[in-house]
């Protein structure tokens, strides 16, 4: 059973404001500045797709939102609470904050020595302090939800790429997050495995999951996203409602990026 009820007020309702908001994020690695003052937000229930050329800072933005890396400059807010300010630092327990924000990685990041079931129960058991029986019951329900119930005792090396990614999505869902960040979840998959993961993500979107998705799958973004954010060179080029972005984007560069993506 979950024992942590609050994280410095983070369990307060988000109200009408964004669920997660970044203001003026910069990130520098050595002399290379990867993010240049990015403003970003997502509201509860919203599906936001971030698109743009490789190297445009999309993955770094996700990692800053989840505090897998800390920004060099900027502010981060969650449900209106001030999570951190840089220069300065994080104002809350990072592990507990991350338990609210799921992350699905490009290369799965499953523990190879653990079964699918144990990969899924690890977070609930050690972070949320759930009892073993409850965590395993929830994990089996999630494996059934992603179509992999019979693979509960399988190790990652015996699974296909699509199966690994579905286990990774089940692992994120097991934490009962407020939102899930997807970092190009299909880019490491063979073509025939892409649809099974995208179809699962479509079902999550239909179920109302708040999602921020870095993707090169432009047809998926057009179908699923409420809002599309286009990035290049570490900055936001343009953002807006998905229908508008694909039909009447203001920026010529946005139109070029979306047309290039559509031909992928």
């Amino acid at each position: 059973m979950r024992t942590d009820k609050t994280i410095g007020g983070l369990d307060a309702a988000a109200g009408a404001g964004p669920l997660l908001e970044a203001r003026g994020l910069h990130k520098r690695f050595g002399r290379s500045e990867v993010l240049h003052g990015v403003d970003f937000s997502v509201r509860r229930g919203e599906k936001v797709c971030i698109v743009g050329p490789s190297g445009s800072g999309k993955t770094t933005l996700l990692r800053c939102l989840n505090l897998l890396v800390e920004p060099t400059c900027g502010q981060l807010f969650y449900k209106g609470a001030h999570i951190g300010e840089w220069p300065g630092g994080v104002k809350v327990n990072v592990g507990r904050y991350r338990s609210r924000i799921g992350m699905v990685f490009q290369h799965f990041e499953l523990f190879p020595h653990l079964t699918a079931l144990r990969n899924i129960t690890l977070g609930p058991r050690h972070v949320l302090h759930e009892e073993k029986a409850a965590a395993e019951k929830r994990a089996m329900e999630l494996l059934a939800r992603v179509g992999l119930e019979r693979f509960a005792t399988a190790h990652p090396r015996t699974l296909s790429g699509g199966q690994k990614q579905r286990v990774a999505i089940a692992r994120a869902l097991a934490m009962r997050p407020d939102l899930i960040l997807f970092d190009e979840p299909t880019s490491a998959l063979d073509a025939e495995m892409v649809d099974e993961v995208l179809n699962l993500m479509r079902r999550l979107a239909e179920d109302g999951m708040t999602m921020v998705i870095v993707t090169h799958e432009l047809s998926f973004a057009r179908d699923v996203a409420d809002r599309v954010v286009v990035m290049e060179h570490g900055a936001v080029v343009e953002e807006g409602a998905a229908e508008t972005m694909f039909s009447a984007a203001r920026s010529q560069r946005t139109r070029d990026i979306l047309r290039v993506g559509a031909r992928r």
Side-chain angles (χ1 to χ4, degrees):
M1 185 174 189
R2 192 172 191 152
T3 58
D4 293 316
K5 297 298 182 185
T6 63
I7 304 176
L10 296 190
D11 284 331
L19 178 63
L20 181 64
E21 181 180 14
R23 300 178 187 171
L25 286 192
H26 292 253
K27 180 58 186 177
R28 179 178 291 108
F29 295 100
R31 295 185 177 181
S32 176
E33 188 164 17
V34 180
L35 295 180
H36 302 276
V38 173
D39 294 326
F40 178 85
S41 66
V42 58
R43 295 178 181 274
R44 187 178 295 278
E46 193 176 25
K47 273 64 71 176
V48 180
C49 283
I50 304 175
V51 304
S54 296
S56 57
K58 305 182 299 295
T59 291
T60 300
L61 174 59
L62 284 197
R63 289 178 174 267
C64 286
L65 294 177
N66 204 33
L67 292 179
L68 290 172
V69 298
E70 289 195 35
T72 305
C73 183
Q75 296 177 298
L76 190 62
F77 298 84
Y78 171 76
K79 293 184 178 179
H82 201 183
I83 299 304
E85 183 169 2
W86 298 269
V90 181
K91 300 178 181 294
V92 298
N93 181 291
V94 174
R96 294 177 184 174
Y97 168 69
R98 287 185 192 144
S99 74
R100 269 49 170 192
I101 302 176
M103 185 90 175
V104 176
F105 299 90
Q106 179 178 348
H107 294 289
F108 325 127
E109 304 297 338
L110 299 175
F111 290 103
H113 63 291
L114 299 181
T115 63
L117 182 71
R118 290 194 62 200
N119 265 284
I120 295 169
T121 60
L122 191 65
R125 293 276 287 127
H126 292 277
V127 178
L128 305 184
H129 307 293
E130 290 184 1
E131 295 180 357
K132 181 179 180 181
E136 290 186 348
K137 181 177 183 294
R138 166 82 169 156
M140 290 303 299
E141 291 170 352
L142 289 170
L143 282 169
R145 184 176 180 183
V146 302
L148 294 175
E149 188 173 17
R150 67 190 181 92
F151 293 95
T153 60
H155 286 79
R157 67 178 180 274
T158 68
L159 301 176
S160 70
Q163 290 169 335
K164 290 176 187 176
Q165 196 60 289
R166 284 186 282 160
V167 170
I169 292 171
R171 177 181 60 184
L173 291 170
M175 298 295 287
R176 297 181 174 86
D178 289 320
L179 72 155
I180 300 181
L181 310 176
F182 292 85
D183 184 15
E184 299 194 23
T186 61
S187 63
L189 302 181
D190 294 335
E192 63 269 23
M193 298 177 185
V194 169
D195 283 347
E196 65 185 52
V197 173
L198 292 182
N199 287 337
L200 172 57
M201 293 172 65
R202 283 189 176 92
R203 293 197 297 273
L204 292 178
E206 291 168 358
D207 290 343
M209 172 60 67
T210 309
M211 302 163 69
V212 177
I213 307 159
V214 168
T215 183
H216 289 291
E217 302 288 342
L218 271 294
S219 60
F220 172 82
R222 184 187 291 111
D223 293 343
V224 171
D226 299 305
R227 185 158 49 93
V228 171
V229 176
V230 177
M231 291 186 66
E232 188 174 37
H233 304 309
V236 174
V237 176
E238 188 175 347
E239 64 177 297
E243 182 178 354
T244 301
M245 292 289 283
F246 281 100
S247 64
R250 297 186 306 273
S251 161
Q252 180 61 48
R253 183 55 184 146
T254 296
R255 293 193 291 271
D256 291 342
I257 289 170
L258 294 181
R259 281 201 296 267
V260 168
R263 293 197 297 267
R264 289 177 61 88

